[in-house]
Amino acid sequence: MDATTIQDAVDWLVRRWSLSELPTPWAVGGVAAALVVALAWRPAWRVLRHAATLVHEMGHVVTAWLTGRRVRGIRLHSDASGLTFSAGRPQGLGVLLTVLAGYPAPALVGLGLVAAAVSGYAGVGLTATMVLLILALLLIRNAFGLLVTLGALAAAGAVFWQAAPMLVTLFTLAVGLLLTFSAARSTVGLWAVRGTGSDPDLAAHHSVLPAPVWIVLFQAIALAAAGLAVALAVGAAL
């Protein structure tokens, strides 16, 4: 590969990194309305919720890497549950942080994408999403998880390739709102799975705080992120 080809590739990526166009009020309203309908319609929710699960598991992955643990892979299941396999010390701060990272991840990533979309940095948000999905693709260890990841990568990749500024902005905004809404909705169900080995149960095992405290914390983060995301979207629409 010669220097000209490398420079062309870098220029291509920089152009996509820089793509963005501030959304119009009608566009923001349309995205929000479509998401409300999709989340309320059970067949659509059964498909869309896997996006939050994927980001949830990647939250575990990234935190495991940052704390020096070895990640062996992730699995996504058709019931929207998932598993991340990591190796390292069985106790300590590293494993606790890895456990805790799952539920806040969709809320915080979603909030970041919404902020990027309404502030002129949608291209940055979409590029980061592509990187996250490519990393996930390398770590998936089951067929259903591969299907989900390829589907998400195909959708994001199509928008990335088309490089239409408004499309990039609206896609980034939609994914961000989807993740924050999904995070808030999923934490509501944590009380029902308490005692079954869920993340709050594992966090309680690795800390001095009981599972209900961790559930409330996860819910607070998710609801705060959803509220801020809505406020940013409304502000962009006004």
Side-chain angles (χ1 to χ4, degrees), residues 23-25 28-29 32 114 118 173 177 181 226-238:
T24 64
V28 174
V114 171
V118 301
L173 177 64
L177 289 173
F181 292 171
L228 286 172
V230 170
L232 288 172
V234 170
L238 294 178

Side-chain angles (χ1 to χ4, degrees), residues 107-167:
L108 298 179
V109 169
L111 178 59
L113 290 176
V114 171
V118 301
S119 59
Y121 295 97
V124 177
L126 179 58
T127 303
T129 301
M130 291 289 294
V131 171
L132 185 74
L133 291 172
I134 291 170
L135 288 174
L137 187 64
L138 298 175
L139 293 168
I140 287 292
R141 296 294 183 265
N142 69 320
F144 184 81
L146 182 63
L147 179 64
V148 169
T149 308
L150 285 174
L153 190 57
V159 175
F160 191 78
W161 181 264
Q162 288 293 322
M166 182 55 74
L167 177 60

Side-chain angles (χ1 to χ4, degrees), residues 202-227:
L202 294 175
H205 176 74
H206 292 288
S207 70
V208 297
L209 298 177
V213 173
W214 293 116
I215 293 176
V216 171
L217 178 61
F218 291 155
Q219 290 178 329
I221 293 172
L223 291 173

